[in-house]
DNA sequence: GTAATCCCTACTAAATCTATAGGGTAATAT
DNA sequence: ATATTACCCTATAGATTTAGTAGGGATTAC
């Protein structure tokens, strides 16, 4: 299940990407238009700023704006930041690899086999999808 | 994240599929070999029996056994029973479709767009993978 | 200075996951 | 028959995660 955090984060990014320019947009504005709890959205946008997707401007007339072109923002990066590892088990994760305690041998593990395929399929999608592809 | 329920269920199915015949195997045996809490495994196997993957035999010499050939068991079916819907959001689910309350229009929703691709990629994997493919 | 706006930490209610407890029921070997 | 084995079923509880809420602090435009 996709978390609301990811869902809201994606919607916010798409919202910003669909604007003609990169003027700062206030949290309240996005929150209202996308029907998201303002305080929750606040923490999500903060995360997206810290991880390099957004810039922000304080004070009156401030808000958040995209730092890069929408076509240069891959879903792999967005999903990892918002949803966490793309792999469904740590033993097939590229960026967060961990051995399973209970699994004696990955090479013969049925779960590993299946989840490896799933990870590859998902990576393929996320790598080939940019923020730009989600708006239009 | 893959739930332990699914992980254990897959391991149990693979365990049964890797045996030369379809003699009943006791819960305790699977539990021990695959390092799974016996009581938890018990409830998982029960689910798999109720949903038509396993048969069981009571009394001495009893246990669980596969009802169908491993090559005839698609991962789509297994995953739906153990992990739930394959789609990450209900609005792109084939079997559990639900409209999002907060989303005015699916056709222009960025989350919908992305999750549709992800669902298709995952379905492709699960449809083309059988239990037989996981043992080798 | 003041109002607007983002920044940050801590806390909490609810849901979900991962079991565990404790028996009940059916089948089998003898 | 009876003891034994093993599956069948419900309820509950601890741990973790999710989805917020509360409350104030810092910065900027005017």
């Amino acid at each position: 299940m996709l978390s609301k955090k990811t869902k809201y984060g994606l919607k916010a990014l798409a919202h910003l990407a669909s604007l003609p320019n990169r003027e700062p947009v206030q949290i309240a504005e996005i929150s209202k238009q996308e029907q998201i709890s303002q305080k929750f959205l606040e923490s999500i946008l903060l995360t997206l700023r810290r991880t390099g997707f957004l810039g922000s401007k304080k004070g009156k007339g401030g808000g958040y704006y995209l730092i890069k072109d929408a076509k240069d923002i891959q879903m792999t990066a967005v999903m990892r930041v918002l949803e966490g590892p793309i792999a469904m088990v740590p033993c097939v994760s590229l960026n967060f690899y961990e051995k399973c305690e209970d699994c004696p041998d990955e090479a013969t593990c049925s779960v590993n086999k299946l989840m490896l395929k799933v990870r590859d399929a998902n990576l393929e999608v996320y790598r080939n999808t940019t923020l730009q592809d989600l708006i239009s």
Side-chain angles (χ1 to χ4, degrees), chain A residues 67-115:
Chain A
I67 280 185
K68 294 186 287 187
D69 260 21
K71 68 171 166 36
D72 295 327
I73 299 180
Q74 270 190 8
M75 284 305 115
T76 27
V78 176
M79 290 299 289
R80 284 198 178 107
V81 161
L82 293 174
E83 189 74 6
I86 288 166
M88 292 181 81
V89 284
C91 68
V92 300
S93 179
L94 291 175
N95 292 261
F96 303 89
Y97 175 83
E98 263 179 62
K99 191 180 180 319
C100 296
E101 315 126 9
D102 56 341
C103 184
D105 181 19
E106 285 179 11
T108 60
C109 174
S110 53
V111 175
N112 187 281
K113 267 200 181 66
L114 180 61
M115 289 302 121

mmCIF file of all heavy atoms in Angstrom, chain A residues 67-115:
data_model
loop_
_atom_site.group_PDB
_atom_site.id
_atom_site.type_symbol
_atom_site.label_atom_id
_atom_site.label_comp_id
_atom_site.label_asym_id
_atom_site.label_seq_id
_atom_site.Cartn_x
_atom_site.Cartn_y
_atom_site.Cartn_z
ATOM 1 N N ILE A 67 13.360 22.858 -7.809
ATOM 2 C CA ILE A 67 14.729 23.276 -8.073
ATOM 3 C C ILE A 67 15.177 22.855 -9.463
ATOM 4 O O ILE A 67 15.903 23.558 -10.146
ATOM 5 C CB ILE A 67 15.680 22.676 -7.004
ATOM 6 C CG1 ILE A 67 15.601 23.499 -5.725
ATOM 7 C CG2 ILE A 67 17.110 22.630 -7.513
ATOM 8 C CD1 ILE A 67 16.572 23.061 -4.662
ATOM 9 N N LYS A 68 14.686 21.658 -9.874
ATOM 10 C CA LYS A 68 15.101 21.143 -11.187
ATOM 11 C C LYS A 68 13.927 21.093 -12.156
ATOM 12 O O LYS A 68 12.770 21.249 -11.758
ATOM 13 C CB LYS A 68 15.681 19.732 -11.030
ATOM 14 C CG LYS A 68 16.966 19.687 -10.242
ATOM 15 C CD LYS A 68 17.581 18.306 -10.242
ATOM 16 C CE LYS A 68 16.805 17.334 -9.371
ATOM 17 N NZ LYS A 68 17.499 16.034 -9.235
ATOM 18 N N ASP A 69 14.227 20.847 -13.385
ATOM 19 C CA ASP A 69 13.193 20.625 -14.384
ATOM 20 C C ASP A 69 12.445 19.332 -14.071
ATOM 21 O O ASP A 69 13.059 18.343 -13.662
ATOM 22 C CB ASP A 69 13.827 20.495 -15.771
ATOM 23 C CG ASP A 69 13.716 21.784 -16.555
ATOM 24 O OD1 ASP A 69 13.530 22.837 -15.913
ATOM 25 O OD2 ASP A 69 13.822 21.738 -17.792
ATOM 26 N N ALA A 70 11.144 19.354 -14.299
ATOM 27 C CA ALA A 70 10.333 18.169 -14.023
ATOM 28 C C ALA A 70 10.841 16.962 -14.804
ATOM 29 O O ALA A 70 10.792 15.831 -14.312
ATOM 30 C CB ALA A 70 8.879 18.443 -14.364
ATOM 31 N N LYS A 71 11.359 17.198 -15.972
ATOM 32 C CA LYS A 71 11.815 16.063 -16.783
ATOM 33 C C LYS A 71 13.127 15.472 -16.266
ATOM 34 O O LYS A 71 13.564 14.417 -16.699
ATOM 35 C CB LYS A 71 11.940 16.466 -18.256
ATOM 36 C CG LYS A 71 13.041 17.457 -18.554
ATOM 37 C CD LYS A 71 13.218 17.621 -20.060
ATOM 38 C CE LYS A 71 14.077 18.840 -20.419
ATOM 39 N NZ LYS A 71 15.187 19.141 -19.509
ATOM 40 N N ASP A 72 13.761 16.173 -15.331
ATOM 41 C CA ASP A 72 15.012 15.669 -14.756
ATOM 42 C C ASP A 72 14.809 15.045 -13.379
ATOM 43 O O ASP A 72 15.768 14.734 -12.678
ATOM 44 C CB ASP A 72 16.038 16.806 -14.676
ATOM 45 C CG ASP A 72 16.449 17.305 -16.052
ATOM 46 O OD1 ASP A 72 16.492 16.463 -16.985
ATOM 47 O OD2 ASP A 72 16.703 18.505 -16.212
ATOM 48 N N ILE A 73 13.563 14.918 -12.978
ATOM 49 C CA ILE A 73 13.284 14.295 -11.686
ATOM 50 C C ILE A 73 12.742 12.885 -11.897
ATOM 51 O O ILE A 73 11.615 12.693 -12.346
ATOM 52 C CB ILE A 73 12.269 15.138 -10.884
ATOM 53 C CG1 ILE A 73 12.857 16.530 -10.624
ATOM 54 C CG2 ILE A 73 11.913 14.442 -9.574
ATOM 55 C CD1 ILE A 73 11.946 17.454 -9.854
ATOM 56 N N GLN A 74 13.595 11.916 -11.587
ATOM 57 C CA GLN A 74 13.217 10.517 -11.761
ATOM 58 C C GLN A 74 12.394 10.023 -10.573
ATOM 59 O O GLN A 74 12.654 10.394 -9.430
ATOM 60 C CB GLN A 74 14.470 9.643 -11.833
ATOM 61 C CG GLN A 74 15.030 9.441 -13.220
ATOM 62 C CD GLN A 74 16.100 8.375 -13.237
ATOM 63 O OE1 GLN A 74 16.320 7.681 -12.242
ATOM 64 N NE2 GLN A 74 16.786 8.254 -14.353
ATOM 65 N N MET A 75 11.475 9.141 -10.867
ATOM 66 C CA MET A 75 10.649 8.590 -9.804
ATOM 67 C C MET A 75 11.428 7.694 -8.839
ATOM 68 O O MET A 75 11.044 7.544 -7.682
ATOM 69 C CB MET A 75 9.480 7.809 -10.398
ATOM 70 C CG MET A 75 8.385 8.693 -10.950
ATOM 71 S SD MET A 75 7.756 9.875 -9.699
ATOM 72 C CE MET A 75 8.257 11.428 -10.408
ATOM 73 N N THR A 76 12.506 7.113 -9.295
ATOM 74 C CA THR A 76 13.344 6.336 -8.371
ATOM 75 C C THR A 76 13.735 7.177 -7.161
ATOM 76 O O THR A 76 13.578 6.741 -6.023
ATOM 77 C CB THR A 76 14.641 5.865 -9.076
ATOM 78 O OG1 THR A 76 14.963 6.758 -10.126
ATOM 79 C CG2 THR A 76 14.485 4.478 -9.633
ATOM 80 N N ALA A 77 14.209 8.371 -7.432
ATOM 81 C CA ALA A 77 14.669 9.243 -6.354
ATOM 82 C C ALA A 77 13.504 9.670 -5.459
ATOM 83 O O ALA A 77 13.603 9.639 -4.230
ATOM 84 C CB ALA A 77 15.363 10.467 -6.943
ATOM 85 N N VAL A 78 12.410 10.057 -6.087
ATOM 86 C CA VAL A 78 11.252 10.507 -5.318
ATOM 87 C C VAL A 78 10.719 9.388 -4.423
ATOM 88 O O VAL A 78 10.474 9.583 -3.223
ATOM 89 C CB VAL A 78 10.132 10.986 -6.264
ATOM 90 C CG1 VAL A 78 8.894 11.358 -5.474
ATOM 91 C CG2 VAL A 78 10.609 12.157 -7.104
ATOM 92 N N MET A 79 10.564 8.215 -4.995
ATOM 93 C CA MET A 79 10.014 7.096 -4.230
ATOM 94 C C MET A 79 10.928 6.698 -3.073
ATOM 95 O O MET A 79 10.450 6.396 -1.983
ATOM 96 C CB MET A 79 9.773 5.894 -5.148
ATOM 97 C CG MET A 79 8.633 6.083 -6.130
ATOM 98 S SD MET A 79 7.014 6.345 -5.345
ATOM 99 C CE MET A 79 6.671 4.719 -4.679
ATOM 100 N N ARG A 80 12.210 6.717 -3.303
ATOM 101 C CA ARG A 80 13.127 6.332 -2.224
ATOM 102 C C ARG A 80 13.032 7.298 -1.052
ATOM 103 O O ARG A 80 13.081 6.900 0.108
ATOM 104 C CB ARG A 80 14.570 6.272 -2.748
ATOM 105 C CG ARG A 80 14.840 5.022 -3.569
ATOM 106 C CD ARG A 80 16.328 4.728 -3.707
ATOM 107 N NE ARG A 80 16.521 3.490 -4.480
ATOM 108 C CZ ARG A 80 16.967 3.425 -5.726
ATOM 109 N NH1 ARG A 80 17.311 4.526 -6.358
ATOM 110 N NH2 ARG A 80 17.101 2.263 -6.341
ATOM 111 N N VAL A 81 12.880 8.570 -1.372
ATOM 112 C CA VAL A 81 12.805 9.578 -0.315
ATOM 113 C C VAL A 81 11.467 9.510 0.431
ATOM 114 O O VAL A 81 11.421 9.582 1.659
ATOM 115 C CB VAL A 81 12.994 10.988 -0.909
ATOM 116 C CG1 VAL A 81 12.468 12.054 0.028
ATOM 117 C CG2 VAL A 81 14.463 11.233 -1.212
ATOM 118 N N LEU A 82 10.398 9.343 -0.311
ATOM 119 C CA LEU A 82 9.080 9.392 0.315
ATOM 120 C C LEU A 82 8.646 8.031 0.865
ATOM 121 O O LEU A 82 8.171 7.924 2.001
ATOM 122 C CB LEU A 82 8.038 9.896 -0.683
ATOM 123 C CG LEU A 82 8.180 11.354 -1.121
ATOM 124 C CD1 LEU A 82 7.182 11.677 -2.222
ATOM 125 C CD2 LEU A 82 7.981 12.294 0.064
ATOM 126 N N GLU A 83 8.800 7.006 0.065
ATOM 127 C CA GLU A 83 8.250 5.697 0.433
ATOM 128 C C GLU A 83 9.292 4.776 1.052
ATOM 129 O O GLU A 83 8.944 3.801 1.710
ATOM 130 C CB GLU A 83 7.633 5.047 -0.817
ATOM 131 C CG GLU A 83 6.828 3.784 -0.581
ATOM 132 C CD GLU A 83 5.462 4.054 0.056
ATOM 133 O OE1 GLU A 83 5.102 5.237 0.209
ATOM 134 O OE2 GLU A 83 4.765 3.080 0.396
ATOM 135 N N GLY A 84 10.560 5.080 0.838
ATOM 136 C CA GLY A 84 11.610 4.206 1.337
ATOM 137 C C GLY A 84 12.130 3.285 0.253
ATOM 138 O O GLY A 84 11.954 3.576 -0.927
ATOM 139 N N PRO A 85 12.777 2.199 0.635
ATOM 140 C CA PRO A 85 13.375 1.297 -0.341
ATOM 141 C C PRO A 85 12.361 0.820 -1.370
ATOM 142 O O PRO A 85 11.204 0.591 -1.036
ATOM 143 C CB PRO A 85 13.852 0.116 0.518
ATOM 144 C CG PRO A 85 14.021 0.666 1.884
ATOM 145 C CD PRO A 85 12.990 1.732 2.017
ATOM 146 N N ILE A 86 12.790 0.671 -2.599
ATOM 147 C CA ILE A 86 11.915 0.188 -3.653
ATOM 148 C C ILE A 86 11.724 -1.315 -3.541
ATOM 149 O O ILE A 86 10.648 -1.835 -3.808
ATOM 150 C CB ILE A 86 12.493 0.579 -5.029
ATOM 151 C CG1 ILE A 86 12.302 2.097 -5.213
ATOM 152 C CG2 ILE A 86 11.826 -0.191 -6.152
ATOM 153 C CD1 ILE A 86 13.084 2.695 -6.340
ATOM 154 N N ALA A 87 12.750 -2.007 -3.103
ATOM 155 C CA ALA A 87 12.657 -3.451 -2.903
ATOM 156 C C ALA A 87 11.699 -3.759 -1.762
ATOM 157 O O ALA A 87 11.586 -2.991 -0.809
ATOM 158 C CB ALA A 87 14.029 -4.023 -2.594
ATOM 159 N N MET A 88 11.006 -4.895 -1.870
ATOM 160 C CA MET A 88 10.047 -5.266 -0.832
ATOM 161 C C MET A 88 10.687 -6.054 0.303
ATOM 162 O O MET A 88 10.082 -6.242 1.347
ATOM 163 C CB MET A 88 8.902 -6.072 -1.434
ATOM 164 C CG MET A 88 8.025 -5.251 -2.368
ATOM 165 S SD MET A 88 6.653 -6.215 -3.040
ATOM 166 C CE MET A 88 5.472 -6.171 -1.694
ATOM 167 N N VAL A 89 11.893 -6.526 0.073
ATOM 168 C CA VAL A 89 12.665 -7.152 1.154
ATOM 169 C C VAL A 89 14.096 -6.642 1.081
ATOM 170 O O VAL A 89 14.629 -6.435 -0.012
ATOM 171 C CB VAL A 89 12.659 -8.696 1.065
ATOM 172 C CG1 VAL A 89 11.331 -9.264 1.527
ATOM 173 C CG2 VAL A 89 12.952 -9.159 -0.352
ATOM 174 N N PRO A 90 14.717 -6.432 2.227
ATOM 175 C CA PRO A 90 16.067 -5.858 2.280
ATOM 176 C C PRO A 90 17.110 -6.674 1.521
ATOM 177 O O PRO A 90 18.066 -6.108 1.014
ATOM 178 C CB PRO A 90 16.395 -5.846 3.784
ATOM 179 C CG PRO A 90 15.073 -5.876 4.460
ATOM 180 C CD PRO A 90 14.164 -6.661 3.570
ATOM 181 N N CYS A 91 16.897 -7.987 1.404
ATOM 182 C CA CYS A 91 17.918 -8.835 0.783
ATOM 183 C C CYS A 91 17.971 -8.672 -0.731
ATOM 184 O O CYS A 91 18.827 -9.264 -1.382
ATOM 185 C CB CYS A 91 17.727 -10.297 1.169
ATOM 186 S SG CYS A 91 16.251 -11.068 0.492
ATOM 187 N N VAL A 92 17.057 -7.897 -1.321
ATOM 188 C CA VAL A 92 17.190 -7.597 -2.750
ATOM 189 C C VAL A 92 17.292 -6.094 -2.997
ATOM 190 O O VAL A 92 17.127 -5.628 -4.120
ATOM 191 C CB VAL A 92 16.003 -8.155 -3.584
ATOM 192 C CG1 VAL A 92 15.898 -9.659 -3.448
ATOM 193 C CG2 VAL A 92 14.705 -7.503 -3.199
ATOM 194 N N SER A 93 17.577 -5.362 -1.946
ATOM 195 C CA SER A 93 17.652 -3.907 -2.075
ATOM 196 C C SER A 93 19.023 -3.460 -2.554
ATOM 197 O O SER A 93 20.042 -3.942 -2.081
ATOM 198 C CB SER A 93 17.335 -3.265 -0.722
ATOM 199 O OG SER A 93 17.419 -1.866 -0.828
ATOM 200 N N LEU A 94 19.030 -2.568 -3.521
ATOM 201 C CA LEU A 94 20.291 -2.033 -4.028
ATOM 202 C C LEU A 94 20.897 -1.048 -3.040
ATOM 203 O O LEU A 94 22.079 -1.086 -2.743
ATOM 204 C CB LEU A 94 20.057 -1.316 -5.366
ATOM 205 C CG LEU A 94 19.680 -2.193 -6.563
ATOM 206 C CD1 LEU A 94 19.363 -1.327 -7.773
ATOM 207 C CD2 LEU A 94 20.815 -3.160 -6.892
ATOM 208 N N ASN A 95 20.042 -0.163 -2.515
ATOM 209 C CA ASN A 95 20.538 0.915 -1.664
ATOM 210 C C ASN A 95 20.453 0.637 -0.168
ATOM 211 O O ASN A 95 21.061 1.327 0.634
ATOM 212 C CB ASN A 95 19.762 2.209 -1.970
ATOM 213 C CG ASN A 95 20.080 2.740 -3.351
ATOM 214 O OD1 ASN A 95 20.889 3.639 -3.496
ATOM 215 N ND2 ASN A 95 19.483 2.174 -4.380
ATOM 216 N N PHE A 96 19.662 -0.356 0.194
ATOM 217 C CA PHE A 96 19.487 -0.632 1.623
ATOM 218 C C PHE A 96 19.670 -2.118 1.910
ATOM 219 O O PHE A 96 18.933 -2.700 2.708
ATOM 220 C CB PHE A 96 18.087 -0.182 2.072
ATOM 221 C CG PHE A 96 17.785 1.268 1.805
ATOM 222 C CD1 PHE A 96 17.225 1.679 0.610
ATOM 223 C CD2 PHE A 96 18.087 2.238 2.767
ATOM 224 C CE1 PHE A 96 16.949 3.022 0.354
ATOM 225 C CE2 PHE A 96 17.807 3.573 2.523
ATOM 226 C CZ PHE A 96 17.239 3.972 1.316
ATOM 227 N N TYR A 97 20.619 -2.731 1.251
ATOM 228 C CA TYR A 97 20.797 -4.185 1.398
ATOM 229 C C TYR A 97 21.022 -4.625 2.837
ATOM 230 O O TYR A 97 21.768 -4.001 3.583
ATOM 231 C CB TYR A 97 21.971 -4.684 0.555
ATOM 232 C CG TYR A 97 22.238 -6.156 0.788
ATOM 233 C CD1 TYR A 97 21.510 -7.120 0.117
ATOM 234 C CD2 TYR A 97 23.185 -6.567 1.727
ATOM 235 C CE1 TYR A 97 21.716 -8.471 0.364
ATOM 236 C CE2 TYR A 97 23.407 -7.917 1.976
ATOM 237 C CZ TYR A 97 22.667 -8.866 1.295
ATOM 238 O OH TYR A 97 22.865 -10.196 1.550
ATOM 239 N N GLU A 98 20.339 -5.702 3.181
ATOM 240 C CA GLU A 98 20.575 -6.378 4.458
ATOM 241 C C GLU A 98 20.325 -7.857 4.259
ATOM 242 O O GLU A 98 19.381 -8.243 3.587
ATOM 243 C CB GLU A 98 19.594 -5.882 5.525
ATOM 244 C CG GLU A 98 20.122 -4.805 6.433
ATOM 245 C CD GLU A 98 19.048 -4.376 7.426
ATOM 246 O OE1 GLU A 98 18.621 -5.219 8.227
ATOM 247 O OE2 GLU A 98 18.615 -3.210 7.358
ATOM 248 N N LYS A 99 21.127 -8.654 4.903
ATOM 249 C CA LYS A 99 20.922 -10.098 4.832
ATOM 250 C C LYS A 99 19.736 -10.480 5.717
ATOM 251 O O LYS A 99 19.520 -9.877 6.767
ATOM 252 C CB LYS A 99 22.181 -10.794 5.323
ATOM 253 C CG LYS A 99 22.205 -12.289 5.048
ATOM 254 C CD LYS A 99 23.499 -12.909 5.562
ATOM 255 C CE LYS A 99 23.523 -14.409 5.289
ATOM 256 N NZ LYS A 99 22.248 -15.101 5.510
ATOM 257 N N CYS A 100 18.967 -11.482 5.285
ATOM 258 C CA CYS A 100 17.903 -11.994 6.150
ATOM 259 C C CYS A 100 18.545 -12.884 7.210
ATOM 260 O O CYS A 100 19.408 -13.694 6.896
ATOM 261 C CB CYS A 100 16.911 -12.837 5.351
ATOM 262 S SG CYS A 100 16.014 -11.920 4.099
ATOM 263 N N GLU A 101 18.062 -12.731 8.445
ATOM 264 C CA GLU A 101 18.627 -13.584 9.503
ATOM 265 C C GLU A 101 18.221 -15.038 9.300
ATOM 266 O O GLU A 101 19.006 -15.965 9.489
ATOM 267 C CB GLU A 101 18.103 -13.154 10.879
ATOM 268 C CG GLU A 101 18.119 -11.672 11.125
ATOM 269 C CD GLU A 101 16.757 -11.178 11.538
ATOM 270 O OE1 GLU A 101 15.882 -12.024 11.791
ATOM 271 O OE2 GLU A 101 16.567 -9.944 11.601
ATOM 272 N N ASP A 102 16.953 -15.202 8.907
ATOM 273 C CA ASP A 102 16.417 -16.557 8.865
ATOM 274 C C ASP A 102 16.715 -17.316 7.573
ATOM 275 O O ASP A 102 16.415 -18.491 7.458
ATOM 276 C CB ASP A 102 14.896 -16.504 9.082
ATOM 277 C CG ASP A 102 14.226 -15.597 8.058
ATOM 278 O OD1 ASP A 102 14.926 -14.773 7.463
ATOM 279 O OD2 ASP A 102 13.014 -15.720 7.854
ATOM 280 N N CYS A 103 17.335 -16.643 6.621
ATOM 281 C CA CYS A 103 17.522 -17.267 5.313
ATOM 282 C C CYS A 103 18.957 -17.770 5.163
ATOM 283 O O CYS A 103 19.887 -16.974 5.079
ATOM 284 C CB CYS A 103 17.203 -16.250 4.227
ATOM 285 S SG CYS A 103 17.284 -16.900 2.568
ATOM 286 N N PRO A 104 19.145 -19.072 5.102
ATOM 287 C CA PRO A 104 20.502 -19.617 5.045
ATOM 288 C C PRO A 104 21.204 -19.333 3.718
ATOM 289 O O PRO A 104 22.411 -19.174 3.676
ATOM 290 C CB PRO A 104 20.289 -21.120 5.236
ATOM 291 C CG PRO A 104 18.885 -21.364 4.810
ATOM 292 C CD PRO A 104 18.110 -20.115 5.081
ATOM 293 N N ASP A 105 20.436 -19.257 2.626
ATOM 294 C CA ASP A 105 21.092 -19.101 1.320
ATOM 295 C C ASP A 105 20.204 -18.334 0.338
ATOM 296 O O ASP A 105 19.188 -18.835 -0.123
ATOM 297 C CB ASP A 105 21.418 -20.484 0.745
ATOM 298 C CG ASP A 105 22.127 -20.375 -0.591
ATOM 299 O OD1 ASP A 105 22.671 -19.291 -0.890
ATOM 300 O OD2 ASP A 105 22.121 -21.358 -1.343
ATOM 301 N N GLU A 106 20.628 -17.128 0.022
ATOM 302 C CA GLU A 106 19.843 -16.296 -0.878
ATOM 303 C C GLU A 106 19.681 -16.910 -2.260
ATOM 304 O O GLU A 106 18.647 -16.755 -2.910
ATOM 305 C CB GLU A 106 20.495 -14.920 -1.028
ATOM 306 C CG GLU A 106 20.300 -14.037 0.181
ATOM 307 C CD GLU A 106 20.970 -12.678 0.022
ATOM 308 O OE1 GLU A 106 21.396 -12.362 -1.109
ATOM 309 O OE2 GLU A 106 21.076 -11.954 1.029
ATOM 310 N N ALA A 107 20.699 -17.608 -2.692
ATOM 311 C CA ALA A 107 20.688 -18.152 -4.052
ATOM 312 C C ALA A 107 19.551 -19.152 -4.263
ATOM 313 O O ALA A 107 19.067 -19.331 -5.379
ATOM 314 C CB ALA A 107 22.031 -18.800 -4.365
ATOM 315 N N THR A 108 19.140 -19.807 -3.189
ATOM 316 C CA THR A 108 18.086 -20.817 -3.332
ATOM 317 C C THR A 108 16.774 -20.375 -2.678
ATOM 318 O O THR A 108 15.824 -21.157 -2.615
ATOM 319 C CB THR A 108 18.520 -22.152 -2.699
ATOM 320 O OG1 THR A 108 18.776 -21.938 -1.310
ATOM 321 C CG2 THR A 108 19.773 -22.692 -3.365
ATOM 322 N N CYS A 109 16.728 -19.141 -2.204
ATOM 323 C CA CYS A 109 15.532 -18.672 -1.500
ATOM 324 C C CYS A 109 14.439 -18.256 -2.484
ATOM 325 O O CYS A 109 14.658 -17.425 -3.371
ATOM 326 C CB CYS A 109 15.889 -17.496 -0.596
ATOM 327 S SG CYS A 109 14.445 -16.748 0.174
ATOM 328 N N SER A 110 13.290 -18.834 -2.310
ATOM 329 C CA SER A 110 12.183 -18.568 -3.240
ATOM 330 C C SER A 110 11.700 -17.119 -3.137
ATOM 331 O O SER A 110 11.364 -16.495 -4.138
ATOM 332 C CB SER A 110 11.018 -19.511 -2.948
ATOM 333 O OG SER A 110 10.659 -19.436 -1.581
ATOM 334 N N VAL A 111 11.677 -16.601 -1.913
ATOM 335 C CA VAL A 111 11.246 -15.219 -1.709
ATOM 336 C C VAL A 111 12.223 -14.268 -2.408
ATOM 337 O O VAL A 111 11.817 -13.339 -3.105
ATOM 338 C CB VAL A 111 11.152 -14.893 -0.207
ATOM 339 C CG1 VAL A 111 10.824 -13.427 -0.003
ATOM 340 C CG2 VAL A 111 10.110 -15.773 0.470
ATOM 341 N N ASN A 112 13.484 -14.538 -2.224
ATOM 342 C CA ASN A 112 14.514 -13.727 -2.880
ATOM 343 C C ASN A 112 14.335 -13.728 -4.398
ATOM 344 O O ASN A 112 14.371 -12.670 -5.041
ATOM 345 C CB ASN A 112 15.895 -14.281 -2.503
ATOM 346 C CG ASN A 112 17.031 -13.413 -2.997
ATOM 347 O OD1 ASN A 112 17.387 -13.457 -4.164
ATOM 348 N ND2 ASN A 112 17.593 -12.603 -2.105
ATOM 349 N N LYS A 113 14.125 -14.899 -4.946
ATOM 350 C CA LYS A 113 13.941 -15.039 -6.403
ATOM 351 C C LYS A 113 12.793 -14.174 -6.904
ATOM 352 O O LYS A 113 12.932 -13.443 -7.885
ATOM 353 C CB LYS A 113 13.625 -16.501 -6.740
ATOM 354 C CG LYS A 113 14.801 -17.372 -7.098
ATOM 355 C CD LYS A 113 14.304 -18.604 -7.867
ATOM 356 C CE LYS A 113 15.457 -19.530 -8.231
ATOM 357 N NZ LYS A 113 16.067 -20.132 -7.022
ATOM 358 N N LEU A 114 11.674 -14.279 -6.236
ATOM 359 C CA LEU A 114 10.489 -13.548 -6.682
ATOM 360 C C LEU A 114 10.664 -12.047 -6.502
ATOM 361 O O LEU A 114 10.380 -11.255 -7.409
ATOM 362 C CB LEU A 114 9.257 -14.033 -5.911
ATOM 363 C CG LEU A 114 7.937 -13.353 -6.260
ATOM 364 C CD1 LEU A 114 7.582 -13.562 -7.718
ATOM 365 C CD2 LEU A 114 6.811 -13.857 -5.356
ATOM 366 N N MET A 115 11.160 -11.671 -5.359
ATOM 367 C CA MET A 115 11.276 -10.238 -5.045
ATOM 368 C C MET A 115 12.343 -9.535 -5.887
ATOM 369 O O MET A 115 12.263 -8.338 -6.113
ATOM 370 C CB MET A 115 11.553 -10.065 -3.553
ATOM 371 C CG MET A 115 10.356 -10.393 -2.697
ATOM 372 S SD MET A 115 8.895 -9.370 -3.131
ATOM 373 C CE MET A 115 7.677 -10.583 -3.565
#
